[in-house]
Amino acid sequence: MRWTYLVGMGFGVACLALAQPAMAQTKKPPVVPHELAGREQCAMCHGGAMEGIKAMPADHKGRDNAVCVLCHAKDSPMQTGTPPAMTHDLAGREQCTMCHGGAMEGIKAAPANHKGIDNKNCTLCHSAAKK
């Protein structure tokens, strides 16, 4: 299953449920080594109960399948791009859409494909500037 298909299916918003910045890492997550068609329920095999199948790391528990694809599909944004870093720190600026919602003149609005993404998930892809 292609990432673009999942976004079209409305999974794009759900994909950003990770707790730490992944794109800011110097090493990208490993790419899924098998086809995804017919295997969309990642935790069925990678939940830790199947012998011989690598279980997902403990910090991945509770993440939905769309998040798996966001990071691990070969055509996902995590694999194909590098989003820009923030130009400011986050102290007192945790509500990203207050400024980047499109209503403030002179402040770049979040792109259309970010619609519905919760503020707590911005740092999944965008690293904050240091104080």
Side-chain angles (χ1 to χ4, degrees), residues 52-79:
I53 304 287
K54 185 175 182 177
M56 68 179 87
D59 68 347
H60 285 44
K61 301 287 185 206
R63 295 179 181 168
D64 69 21
N65 297 304
V67 173
C68 301
V69 175
L70 172 68
C71 293
H72 299 286
K74 66 182 173 189
D75 60 347
S76 75
M78 294 292 233
Q79 298 294 334

PDB file of all heavy atoms in Angstrom, residues 52-79:
ATOM      1  N   GLY A  52       9.855 -15.643  15.513  1.00  0.00           N
ATOM      2  CA  GLY A  52      10.616 -15.414  14.294  1.00  0.00           C
ATOM      3  C   GLY A  52      10.312 -14.093  13.607  1.00  0.00           C
ATOM      4  O   GLY A  52      10.946 -13.746  12.620  1.00  0.00           O
ATOM      5  N   ILE A  53       9.333 -13.335  14.102  1.00  0.00           N
ATOM      6  CA  ILE A  53       8.983 -12.034  13.529  1.00  0.00           C
ATOM      7  C   ILE A  53       9.442 -10.958  14.515  1.00  0.00           C
ATOM      8  O   ILE A  53       9.114 -11.011  15.701  1.00  0.00           O
ATOM      9  CB  ILE A  53       7.453 -11.892  13.298  1.00  0.00           C
ATOM     10  CG1 ILE A  53       6.927 -13.010  12.419  1.00  0.00           C
ATOM     11  CG2 ILE A  53       7.126 -10.516  12.753  1.00  0.00           C
ATOM     12  CD1 ILE A  53       7.313 -12.906  10.964  1.00  0.00           C
ATOM     13  N   LYS A  54      10.184 -10.004  14.007  1.00  0.00           N
ATOM     14  CA  LYS A  54      10.695  -8.926  14.865  1.00  0.00           C
ATOM     15  C   LYS A  54       9.528  -8.125  15.451  1.00  0.00           C
ATOM     16  O   LYS A  54       8.670  -7.623  14.724  1.00  0.00           O
ATOM     17  CB  LYS A  54      11.621  -8.015  14.063  1.00  0.00           C
ATOM     18  CG  LYS A  54      12.280  -6.955  14.903  1.00  0.00           C
ATOM     19  CD  LYS A  54      13.280  -6.144  14.107  1.00  0.00           C
ATOM     20  CE  LYS A  54      13.954  -5.133  15.000  1.00  0.00           C
ATOM     21  NZ  LYS A  54      14.981  -4.380  14.302  1.00  0.00           N
ATOM     22  N   ALA A  55       9.520  -8.017  16.765  1.00  0.00           N
ATOM     23  CA  ALA A  55       8.484  -7.241  17.451  1.00  0.00           C
ATOM     24  C   ALA A  55       8.827  -5.759  17.373  1.00  0.00           C
ATOM     25  O   ALA A  55       9.995  -5.380  17.324  1.00  0.00           O
ATOM     26  CB  ALA A  55       8.379  -7.669  18.909  1.00  0.00           C
ATOM     27  N   MET A  56       7.787  -4.926  17.377  1.00  0.00           N
ATOM     28  CA  MET A  56       8.016  -3.488  17.393  1.00  0.00           C
ATOM     29  C   MET A  56       8.665  -3.099  18.722  1.00  0.00           C
ATOM     30  O   MET A  56       8.451  -3.778  19.730  1.00  0.00           O
ATOM     31  CB  MET A  56       6.710  -2.732  17.170  1.00  0.00           C
ATOM     32  CG  MET A  56       5.714  -2.841  18.291  1.00  0.00           C
ATOM     33  SD  MET A  56       4.211  -1.914  17.977  1.00  0.00           S
ATOM     34  CE  MET A  56       3.272  -3.125  17.068  1.00  0.00           C
ATOM     35  N   PRO A  57       9.459  -2.039  18.728  1.00  0.00           N
ATOM     36  CA  PRO A  57      10.084  -1.591  19.980  1.00  0.00           C
ATOM     37  C   PRO A  57       9.021  -1.193  21.006  1.00  0.00           C
ATOM     38  O   PRO A  57       7.905  -0.814  20.643  1.00  0.00           O
ATOM     39  CB  PRO A  57      10.901  -0.373  19.562  1.00  0.00           C
ATOM     40  CG  PRO A  57      11.045  -0.473  18.086  1.00  0.00           C
ATOM     41  CD  PRO A  57       9.852  -1.225  17.593  1.00  0.00           C
ATOM     42  N   ALA A  58       9.374  -1.252  22.273  1.00  0.00           N
ATOM     43  CA  ALA A  58       8.431  -0.924  23.343  1.00  0.00           C
ATOM     44  C   ALA A  58       7.843   0.481  23.193  1.00  0.00           C
ATOM     45  O   ALA A  58       6.666   0.688  23.480  1.00  0.00           O
ATOM     46  CB  ALA A  58       9.121  -1.065  24.699  1.00  0.00           C
ATOM     47  N   ASP A  59       8.634   1.436  22.705  1.00  0.00           N
ATOM     48  CA  ASP A  59       8.110   2.800  22.573  1.00  0.00           C
ATOM     49  C   ASP A  59       7.153   2.971  21.404  1.00  0.00           C
ATOM     50  O   ASP A  59       6.584   4.028  21.209  1.00  0.00           O
ATOM     51  CB  ASP A  59       9.248   3.822  22.500  1.00  0.00           C
ATOM     52  CG  ASP A  59      10.068   3.734  21.221  1.00  0.00           C
ATOM     53  OD1 ASP A  59       9.943   2.740  20.474  1.00  0.00           O
ATOM     54  OD2 ASP A  59      10.850   4.666  20.978  1.00  0.00           O
ATOM     55  N   HIS A  60       6.932   1.916  20.627  1.00  0.00           N
ATOM     56  CA  HIS A  60       5.981   1.959  19.525  1.00  0.00           C
ATOM     57  C   HIS A  60       4.608   1.406  19.924  1.00  0.00           C
ATOM     58  O   HIS A  60       3.666   1.494  19.154  1.00  0.00           O
ATOM     59  CB  HIS A  60       6.491   1.136  18.339  1.00  0.00           C
ATOM     60  CG  HIS A  60       7.595   1.795  17.568  1.00  0.00           C
ATOM     61  ND1 HIS A  60       8.656   2.434  18.146  1.00  0.00           N
ATOM     62  CD2 HIS A  60       7.799   1.875  16.234  1.00  0.00           C
ATOM     63  CE1 HIS A  60       9.470   2.899  17.206  1.00  0.00           C
ATOM     64  NE2 HIS A  60       8.986   2.572  16.048  1.00  0.00           N
ATOM     65  N   LYS A  61       4.482   0.822  21.091  1.00  0.00           N
ATOM     66  CA  LYS A  61       3.213   0.236  21.540  1.00  0.00           C
ATOM     67  C   LYS A  61       2.127   1.300  21.550  1.00  0.00           C
ATOM     68  O   LYS A  61       2.347   2.431  21.966  1.00  0.00           O
ATOM     69  CB  LYS A  61       3.344  -0.367  22.937  1.00  0.00           C
ATOM     70  CG  LYS A  61       4.381  -1.456  23.056  1.00  0.00           C
ATOM     71  CD  LYS A  61       3.950  -2.741  22.404  1.00  0.00           C
ATOM     72  CE  LYS A  61       4.999  -3.808  22.686  1.00  0.00           C
ATOM     73  NZ  LYS A  61       5.074  -4.839  21.739  1.00  0.00           N
ATOM     74  N   GLY A  62       0.974   0.940  21.060  1.00  0.00           N
ATOM     75  CA  GLY A  62      -0.162   1.853  21.041  1.00  0.00           C
ATOM     76  C   GLY A  62      -0.245   2.735  19.809  1.00  0.00           C
ATOM     77  O   GLY A  62      -1.234   3.421  19.599  1.00  0.00           O
ATOM     78  N   ARG A  63       0.768   2.724  18.974  1.00  0.00           N
ATOM     79  CA  ARG A  63       0.713   3.515  17.734  1.00  0.00           C
ATOM     80  C   ARG A  63      -0.102   2.754  16.708  1.00  0.00           C
ATOM     81  O   ARG A  63      -0.002   1.537  16.606  1.00  0.00           O
ATOM     82  CB  ARG A  63       2.120   3.775  17.211  1.00  0.00           C
ATOM     83  CG  ARG A  63       2.916   4.643  18.154  1.00  0.00           C
ATOM     84  CD  ARG A  63       4.301   4.877  17.628  1.00  0.00           C
ATOM     85  NE  ARG A  63       5.038   5.702  18.583  1.00  0.00           N
ATOM     86  CZ  ARG A  63       6.331   5.893  18.527  1.00  0.00           C
ATOM     87  NH1 ARG A  63       7.047   5.345  17.560  1.00  0.00           N
ATOM     88  NH2 ARG A  63       6.924   6.649  19.416  1.00  0.00           N
ATOM     89  N   ASP A  64      -0.884   3.483  15.931  1.00  0.00           N
ATOM     90  CA  ASP A  64      -1.704   2.777  14.945  1.00  0.00           C
ATOM     91  C   ASP A  64      -0.917   2.479  13.675  1.00  0.00           C
ATOM     92  O   ASP A  64       0.201   2.941  13.488  1.00  0.00           O
ATOM     93  CB  ASP A  64      -3.010   3.522  14.669  1.00  0.00           C
ATOM     94  CG  ASP A  64      -2.849   4.837  13.940  1.00  0.00           C
ATOM     95  OD1 ASP A  64      -1.817   5.046  13.286  1.00  0.00           O
ATOM     96  OD2 ASP A  64      -3.778   5.653  14.012  1.00  0.00           O
ATOM     97  N   ASN A  65      -1.514   1.680  12.816  1.00  0.00           N
ATOM     98  CA  ASN A  65      -0.853   1.219  11.599  1.00  0.00           C
ATOM     99  C   ASN A  65      -0.428   2.349  10.677  1.00  0.00           C
ATOM    100  O   ASN A  65       0.593   2.256  10.017  1.00  0.00           O
ATOM    101  CB  ASN A  65      -1.772   0.264  10.841  1.00  0.00           C
ATOM    102  CG  ASN A  65      -2.051  -0.971  11.643  1.00  0.00           C
ATOM    103  OD1 ASN A  65      -1.138  -1.659  12.059  1.00  0.00           O
ATOM    104  ND2 ASN A  65      -3.309  -1.242  11.896  1.00  0.00           N
ATOM    105  N   ALA A  66      -1.195   3.412  10.655  1.00  0.00           N
ATOM    106  CA  ALA A  66      -0.856   4.538   9.792  1.00  0.00           C
ATOM    107  C   ALA A  66       0.462   5.166  10.216  1.00  0.00           C
ATOM    108  O   ALA A  66       1.219   5.656   9.385  1.00  0.00           O
ATOM    109  CB  ALA A  66      -1.984   5.564   9.795  1.00  0.00           C
ATOM    110  N   VAL A  67       0.761   5.146  11.511  1.00  0.00           N
ATOM    111  CA  VAL A  67       2.029   5.688  11.993  1.00  0.00           C
ATOM    112  C   VAL A  67       3.182   4.812  11.522  1.00  0.00           C
ATOM    113  O   VAL A  67       4.232   5.297  11.133  1.00  0.00           O
ATOM    114  CB  VAL A  67       2.023   5.824  13.534  1.00  0.00           C
ATOM    115  CG1 VAL A  67       3.381   6.231  14.049  1.00  0.00           C
ATOM    116  CG2 VAL A  67       0.980   6.838  13.957  1.00  0.00           C
ATOM    117  N   CYS A  68       2.962   3.490  11.524  1.00  0.00           N
ATOM    118  CA  CYS A  68       4.004   2.579  11.039  1.00  0.00           C
ATOM    119  C   CYS A  68       4.378   2.940   9.605  1.00  0.00           C
ATOM    120  O   CYS A  68       5.551   3.037   9.262  1.00  0.00           O
ATOM    121  CB  CYS A  68       3.520   1.122  11.059  1.00  0.00           C
ATOM    122  SG  CYS A  68       3.030   0.515  12.676  1.00  0.00           S
ATOM    123  N   VAL A  69       3.371   3.155   8.794  1.00  0.00           N
ATOM    124  CA  VAL A  69       3.582   3.454   7.379  1.00  0.00           C
ATOM    125  C   VAL A  69       4.225   4.820   7.206  1.00  0.00           C
ATOM    126  O   VAL A  69       5.066   5.007   6.336  1.00  0.00           O
ATOM    127  CB  VAL A  69       2.248   3.352   6.608  1.00  0.00           C
ATOM    128  CG1 VAL A  69       2.415   3.773   5.163  1.00  0.00           C
ATOM    129  CG2 VAL A  69       1.710   1.929   6.689  1.00  0.00           C
ATOM    130  N   LEU A  70       3.864   5.781   8.051  1.00  0.00           N
ATOM    131  CA  LEU A  70       4.451   7.117   7.956  1.00  0.00           C
ATOM    132  C   LEU A  70       5.967   7.042   8.029  1.00  0.00           C
ATOM    133  O   LEU A  70       6.664   7.704   7.277  1.00  0.00           O
ATOM    134  CB  LEU A  70       3.934   8.020   9.069  1.00  0.00           C
ATOM    135  CG  LEU A  70       4.615   9.381   9.180  1.00  0.00           C
ATOM    136  CD1 LEU A  70       4.281  10.251   7.982  1.00  0.00           C
ATOM    137  CD2 LEU A  70       4.256  10.071  10.460  1.00  0.00           C
ATOM    138  N   CYS A  71       6.477   6.229   8.916  1.00  0.00           N
ATOM    139  CA  CYS A  71       7.921   6.158   9.104  1.00  0.00           C
ATOM    140  C   CYS A  71       8.611   5.087   8.270  1.00  0.00           C
ATOM    141  O   CYS A  71       9.743   5.275   7.854  1.00  0.00           O
ATOM    142  CB  CYS A  71       8.243   5.887  10.573  1.00  0.00           C
ATOM    143  SG  CYS A  71       7.795   7.235  11.658  1.00  0.00           S
ATOM    144  N   HIS A  72       7.951   3.961   8.030  1.00  0.00           N
ATOM    145  CA  HIS A  72       8.637   2.796   7.488  1.00  0.00           C
ATOM    146  C   HIS A  72       8.320   2.430   6.040  1.00  0.00           C
ATOM    147  O   HIS A  72       8.998   1.567   5.487  1.00  0.00           O
ATOM    148  CB  HIS A  72       8.388   1.585   8.391  1.00  0.00           C
ATOM    149  CG  HIS A  72       8.912   1.777   9.779  1.00  0.00           C
ATOM    150  ND1 HIS A  72      10.258   1.721  10.071  1.00  0.00           N
ATOM    151  CD2 HIS A  72       8.280   2.047  10.955  1.00  0.00           C
ATOM    152  CE1 HIS A  72      10.425   1.935  11.367  1.00  0.00           C
ATOM    153  NE2 HIS A  72       9.256   2.146  11.933  1.00  0.00           N
ATOM    154  N   ALA A  73       7.338   3.044   5.404  1.00  0.00           N
ATOM    155  CA  ALA A  73       7.062   2.768   3.986  1.00  0.00           C
ATOM    156  C   ALA A  73       8.115   3.454   3.120  1.00  0.00           C
ATOM    157  O   ALA A  73       8.536   4.574   3.409  1.00  0.00           O
ATOM    158  CB  ALA A  73       5.672   3.249   3.599  1.00  0.00           C
ATOM    159  N   LYS A  74       8.535   2.789   2.061  1.00  0.00           N
ATOM    160  CA  LYS A  74       9.628   3.332   1.241  1.00  0.00           C
ATOM    161  C   LYS A  74       9.291   4.662   0.581  1.00  0.00           C
ATOM    162  O   LYS A  74      10.182   5.444   0.292  1.00  0.00           O
ATOM    163  CB  LYS A  74      10.068   2.313   0.197  1.00  0.00           C
ATOM    164  CG  LYS A  74       9.037   1.993  -0.849  1.00  0.00           C
ATOM    165  CD  LYS A  74       9.519   0.943  -1.811  1.00  0.00           C
ATOM    166  CE  LYS A  74       8.400   0.516  -2.737  1.00  0.00           C
ATOM    167  NZ  LYS A  74       8.786  -0.627  -3.532  1.00  0.00           N
ATOM    168  N   ASP A  75       8.009   4.940   0.362  1.00  0.00           N
ATOM    169  CA  ASP A  75       7.625   6.202  -0.274  1.00  0.00           C
ATOM    170  C   ASP A  75       7.020   7.186   0.719  1.00  0.00           C
ATOM    171  O   ASP A  75       6.389   8.157   0.331  1.00  0.00           O
ATOM    172  CB  ASP A  75       6.678   5.941  -1.443  1.00  0.00           C
ATOM    173  CG  ASP A  75       5.405   5.236  -1.022  1.00  0.00           C
ATOM    174  OD1 ASP A  75       5.338   4.728   0.125  1.00  0.00           O
ATOM    175  OD2 ASP A  75       4.470   5.161  -1.833  1.00  0.00           O
ATOM    176  N   SER A  76       7.230   6.968   2.008  1.00  0.00           N
ATOM    177  CA  SER A  76       6.677   7.852   3.033  1.00  0.00           C
ATOM    178  C   SER A  76       7.478   9.152   3.126  1.00  0.00           C
ATOM    179  O   SER A  76       8.645   9.204   2.733  1.00  0.00           O
ATOM    180  CB  SER A  76       6.690   7.155   4.388  1.00  0.00           C
ATOM    181  OG  SER A  76       8.004   7.124   4.908  1.00  0.00           O
ATOM    182  N   PRO A  77       6.863  10.197   3.678  1.00  0.00           N
ATOM    183  CA  PRO A  77       7.584  11.459   3.858  1.00  0.00           C
ATOM    184  C   PRO A  77       8.837  11.318   4.718  1.00  0.00           C
ATOM    185  O   PRO A  77       9.823  12.013   4.522  1.00  0.00           O
ATOM    186  CB  PRO A  77       6.561  12.358   4.551  1.00  0.00           C
ATOM    187  CG  PRO A  77       5.249  11.803   4.162  1.00  0.00           C
ATOM    188  CD  PRO A  77       5.457  10.318   4.050  1.00  0.00           C
ATOM    189  N   MET A  78       8.826  10.404   5.675  1.00  0.00           N
ATOM    190  CA  MET A  78       9.988  10.202   6.533  1.00  0.00           C
ATOM    191  C   MET A  78      11.172   9.663   5.734  1.00  0.00           C
ATOM    192  O   MET A  78      12.314   9.906   6.103  1.00  0.00           O
ATOM    193  CB  MET A  78       9.672   9.209   7.646  1.00  0.00           C
ATOM    194  CG  MET A  78       8.652   9.737   8.608  1.00  0.00           C
ATOM    195  SD  MET A  78       9.344  11.101   9.527  1.00  0.00           S
ATOM    196  CE  MET A  78       9.025  10.544  11.157  1.00  0.00           C
ATOM    197  N   GLN A  79      10.902   8.942   4.682  1.00  0.00           N
ATOM    198  CA  GLN A  79      11.967   8.345   3.875  1.00  0.00           C
ATOM    199  C   GLN A  79      12.395   9.251   2.724  1.00  0.00           C
ATOM    200  O   GLN A  79      13.538   9.232   2.305  1.00  0.00           O
ATOM    201  CB  GLN A  79      11.518   6.985   3.318  1.00  0.00           C
ATOM    202  CG  GLN A  79      11.212   5.959   4.378  1.00  0.00           C
ATOM    203  CD  GLN A  79      12.419   5.535   5.177  1.00  0.00           C
ATOM    204  OE1 GLN A  79      13.552   5.594   4.720  1.00  0.00           O
ATOM    205  NE2 GLN A  79      12.194   5.092   6.403  1.00  0.00           N
TER     206      GLN A  79
END
